[in-house]
């Protein structure tokens, strides 16, 4: 089987995206998390007290899948569910300090990866690449999850 060719600009951009995803997956795996678990922990860090329905909508998955994911995180002490003071049937989900500590440093790791991936470029070339990519993306709709 022949390796795929990466000749066009968009094919090359996908290759860079693949390298970013691989590095992110490795960082997450080192913490014995799945990509989904780490994403939910990050979401809960930014949105403490989210309800499961919001998490399901954000992850584009079912409520049952979110419940299972949260159970696994809860068993590890990474999240906790608390009853809403106004509605006891509603459970609010919070990342614990242990959960937040576990994912701390992800953004720094990804910034360091950017520097590694762009190391062959001079500062002027990095600026030129950024400007060209901004020109292309200016015509695109904002990405959504």
């Amino acid at each position: 089987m022949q390796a795929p060719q990466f000749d066009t600009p968009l094919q090359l951009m996908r290759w860079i995206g693949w390298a970013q995803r691989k590095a992110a997956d490795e960082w997450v795996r080192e913490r014995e998390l799945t990509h989904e678990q780490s994403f939910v922990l990050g979401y809960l860090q930014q949105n403490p007290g989210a309800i499961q329905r919001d998490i399901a909508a954000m992850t584009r998955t079912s409520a049952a899948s979110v419940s299972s994911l949260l159970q696994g995180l809860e068993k590890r002490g990474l999240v906790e569910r608390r009853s809403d003071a106004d509605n006891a049937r509603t459970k609010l989900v919070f990342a614990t300090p242990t959960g937040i500590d576990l994912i701390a440093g992800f953004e720094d790791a990804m910034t360091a990866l950017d520097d590694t991936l762009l190391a062959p470029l001079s500062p002027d070339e990095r600026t030129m690449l950024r400007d060209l990519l901004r020109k292309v993306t200016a015509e695109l709709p904002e990405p959504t999850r």
Side-chain angles (χ1 to χ4, degrees):
M1 182 172 176
Q2 186 178 3
Q5 294 293 310
F6 294 99
D7 298 323
T8 71
L10 293 179
Q11 288 171 331
L12 293 167
M13 288 171 49
R14 280 192 290 276
W15 188 357
I16 293 167
W18 172 84
Q20 288 178 306
R21 175 66 188 242
K22 185 174 182 241
D25 286 347
E26 288 173 9
W27 190 93
V28 166
R29 197 173 10 259
E30 288 172 3
R31 284 146 185 85
E32 298 179 356
L33 294 169
T34 65
H35 176 73
E36 293 78 11
Q37 288 172 326
S38 67
F39 190 81
V40 167
L41 284 171
Y43 177 78
L44 291 173
Q45 180 181 17
Q46 294 175 1
N47 301 278
I51 59 173
Q52 285 184 209
R53 185 180 326 116
D54 293 340
I55 297 168
M58 182 270 312
T59 59
R60 294 186 179 168
T61 189
S62 69
S65 293
V66 168
S67 181
S68 176
L69 183 140
L70 292 175
Q71 285 174 0
L73 292 172
E74 207 168 23
K75 285 179 185 172
R76 290 181 59 188
L78 304 177
V79 301
E80 63 184 24
R81 293 184 249 198
R82 303 178 201 151
S83 294
D84 186 345
D86 297 329
N87 182 352
R89 292 184 355 200
T90 300
K91 299 292 184 200
L92 306 178
V93 186
F94 296 85
T96 64
T98 302
I100 291 170
D101 287 348
L102 188 62
I103 62 165
F106 180 78
E107 293 301 324
D108 291 339
M110 293 303 100
T111 298
L113 175 65
D114 287 354
D115 287 340
T116 299
L117 291 174
L118 298 175
L121 300 179
S122 70
D124 287 344
E125 289 170 325
R126 286 182 187 205
T127 299
M128 183 185 314
L129 177 60
R130 186 195 66 233
D131 292 347
L132 289 170
L133 291 172
R134 282 188 174 158
K135 188 174 184 178
V136 170
T137 57
E139 301 300 318
L140 299 176
E142 287 280 326
T144 60
R145 171 96 172 99

